[in-house]
Amino acid sequence: FLKKVCTLTAAVSAAAMLSAGAVSAKNFKIAVGDSAGSPQEATGKFFVEALEAKSNGEHTATLFLNGQLGSEQDTVNEAAIGTLDMSLLAINNVTPFSPTVGVFTLPYVILSLEDAETLTQGPIGQELTENTLRDAGVRIIAWTYTGFRRLTNSKKPVEAVADLQDLVIRVPKNEIMIETYKAWGINPTPMAWSETFTGLQTKVVDGQDNPYMTINAMKFYEVQDHVTNLRYIFSIEPLIVSEAVFQNLSEEDQQIILEAGKEATLKSAQFLRDSEAAIKEELVAKGMKIVDPENGEAEFIQLATEAVWPKFYDSIGGVEKLNAVLSAIGRDPV
Ligand code: MLT
C-alpha cells in the first residue's frame, strides 16, 4: 500500500511540475515590420536566442515577419492594450504615440552608428524609454541599428533638392518626416509601411526612403532604380514589449527579458557593421544606381535643420532636450 501511495504521490507531483511548467513557459509573439534578412529580423533572432538561453529553454518567442500582424503603427496600439506581446518597428512609427522620441527622427541629428549607440544606450535612451512607457504603454527593451535612410526612386538620379521637385515620395505617417520633405519643397505622401511596396510597384508613388539593408530585404530594387545617399535620418528600430504583458511576468522573467534585450542591442550594432557594405554592393549588382547628393548634401542639410528643428522643440520636450542630445554626441547646442 505504501509503495502505491508513494508512486501516486510521485505521479501527482510530476504532473504538478509539468502543469506549472506549462503555465509559466511562454512563447511570446513578436510582430516584425520588415522581411527576412532585415536588421529587424536579426535583432529579433538575437533576442529569441538570448531569451531561450537565459531562461534555460523555458521561454521562447516567435517572429511574425513582414507586417503579418498589422502595420507598424497598429502594432503599437495592439501592444498598448496587451493583445500583442512585442513588436519590432522603426522609431518613426513610435513617435506618433510618444512625441519625445521624435528627437531621434529630427533630420541630421544622429550622424553615425556611434552616435546612435551613444544615445540609445545612455541616459537619453533611458529617459525616452520611460516616456514611451508613460505615453504609449509600451517598454523599449532593445534597439536595432539599420543605417541611414537613403532616398530611392524609379525615375531619375536625384543629386540636388531641385531634382526632387517633380517626384511623389512616400513617407511614414510621421510629422517630422513630412515637414522635412516640405522644407525640401515637395508635399510627400504619408503611407503605412505595410502598403509601401505595393505603392511603389503600382506607381502610386515614385520613391521612398529607407536604409540599404531595408531596401534589400524588402526587395525594393525590383521596383526602384535610383538611390541617393542622403543621411538625414539614421534609422533606429526598437523592440517594444507590451507593459501589460511585462507586468504579468515574475520579477525574474522581467530581468531575463531586459537582459536578453541588452544582448540583442549589442549584437544588432555588430550585425550592421558586418553587413552594410556588402549589402550596398549587392544593390549595385542588382542594378541600382547610387549617387551622392551634391556639395556634401549642404542644401538638404541647411533647409531641413533650419525649417524643421524649431517646429518640433515643443513636442520633443523643449529645445533643451535637443541640446542634451547634441551635447551627448559632442556637437554644439543650437
Ligand atoms: C517606415 O519607413 O515606415 C519604416 O522605416 C519601415 C521599417 O520598419 O523599416
Side-chain angles (χ1 to χ4, degrees), residues 32-35 38-40 72-73 88-93 146 149 170-174 177 191-194 196 208-211 214-215 218 220 235-237:
V32 184
D34 295 349
S35 45
S38 62
Q40 286 186 4
E72 291 196 355
Q73 293 193 8
L88 257 159
L89 74 173
I91 193 77
N92 48 270
N93 288 326
T146 309
R149 294 180 73 107
R170 172 270 171 179
V171 285
K173 296 177 185 173
N174 176 298
M177 296 165 85
M191 185 182 280
W193 179 232
S194 47
T196 302
Q208 63 85 47
D209 66 67
N210 259 290
T214 312
I215 296 168
M218 300 301 292
F220 282 2
S235 188
I236 49 180
E237 318 201 348

Side-chain angles (χ1 to χ4, degrees), residues 21-331:
V23 169
S24 66
K26 297 267 188 302
N27 183 353
F28 296 100
K29 264 191 180 179
I30 309 183
V32 184
D34 295 349
S35 45
S38 62
Q40 286 186 4
E41 184 206 34
T43 300
K45 285 181 167 171
F46 296 141
F47 175 77
V48 176
E49 275 163 23
L51 174 67
E52 288 175 351
K54 288 176 194 297
S55 68
N56 295 318
E58 191 181 353
H59 302 316
T60 187
T62 305
L63 305 179
F64 293 84
L65 298 176
N66 222 0
Q68 278 174 69
L69 299 186
S71 78
E72 291 196 355
Q73 293 193 8
D74 285 348
T75 66
V76 181
N77 279 325
E78 297 279 331
I81 58 173
T83 50
L84 173 68
D85 300 323
M86 300 184 193
S87 178
L88 257 159
L89 74 173
I91 193 77
N92 48 270
N93 288 326
V94 180
T95 319
F97 306 93
S98 188
T100 58
V101 295
V103 75
F104 286 171
T105 309
L106 282 182
Y108 302 104
V109 167
I110 300 179
L111 298 180
S112 64
L113 170 58
E114 291 70 28
D115 285 354
E117 291 175 285
T118 303
L119 293 172
T120 50
Q121 294 173 35
I124 288 174
Q126 188 52 40
E127 187 187 333
L128 293 182
T129 300
E130 283 155 23
N131 293 353
T132 308
L133 196 54
R134 180 198 61 211
D135 300 339
V138 297
R139 179 183 289 263
I140 296 172
I141 52 172
W143 298 94
T144 309
Y145 306 102
T146 309
F148 288 112
R149 294 180 73 107
R150 314 297 189 170
L151 175 70
T152 69
N153 82 88
S154 58
K155 290 202 160 147
K156 58 177 186 181
V158 172
E159 292 174 30
V161 171
D163 301 329
L164 262 181
Q165 301 311 308
D166 51 352
L167 293 177
V168 181
I169 302 295
R170 172 270 171 179
V171 285
K173 296 177 185 173
N174 176 298
E175 286 304 322
I176 297 175
M177 296 165 85
I178 294 170
E179 287 301 322
T180 303
Y181 278 91
K182 285 190 178 161
W184 293 333
I186 64 168
N187 222 339
T189 305
M191 185 182 280
W193 179 232
S194 47
E195 290 158 21
T196 302
F197 185 90
T198 311
L200 295 167
Q201 190 176 38
T202 55
K203 302 202 184 300
V204 170
V205 288
D206 302 317
Q208 63 85 47
D209 66 67
N210 259 290
Y212 298 134
M213 304 288 291
T214 312
I215 296 168
N216 190 54
M218 300 301 292
K219 299 192 168 47
F220 282 2
Y221 49 81
E222 290 179 357
V223 289
Q224 299 279 272
D225 298 319
H226 301 280
V227 182
T228 306
N229 277 334
L230 290 187
R231 294 166 305 148
Y232 86 115
I233 291 174
F234 186 98
S235 188
I236 49 180
E237 318 201 348
L239 170 59
I240 56 172
V241 59
S242 159
E243 186 62 4
V245 169
F246 189 79
Q247 288 307 335
N248 260 335
L249 301 172
S250 67
E251 247 173 65
E252 190 193 343
D253 285 346
Q254 290 180 346
Q255 214 42 44
I256 288 173
I257 289 209
L258 296 176
E259 281 168 17
K262 283 203 177 115
E263 203 169 300
T265 300
L266 299 180
K267 287 190 173 166
S268 169
Q270 196 54 45
F271 177 77
L272 185 65
R273 287 195 167 92
D274 292 345
S275 355
E276 195 180 28
I279 292 296
K280 181 180 176 192
E281 298 285 300
E282 243 183 74
L283 292 176
V284 173
K286 285 167 176 161
M288 295 196 97
K289 294 168 205 73
I290 304 183
V291 295
D292 287 329
E294 66 179 24
N295 300 327
E297 212 168 326
E299 197 185 0
F300 286 96
I301 297 174
Q302 195 198 349
L303 290 171
T305 51
E306 281 180 6
V308 181
W309 285 8
K311 283 201 173 114
F312 292 92
Y313 291 157
D314 283 349
S315 67
I316 63 168
V319 67
E320 59 276 15
K321 295 288 173 191
L322 174 60
N323 283 335
V325 165
L326 293 173
S327 137
I329 50 178
R331 289 176 56 193

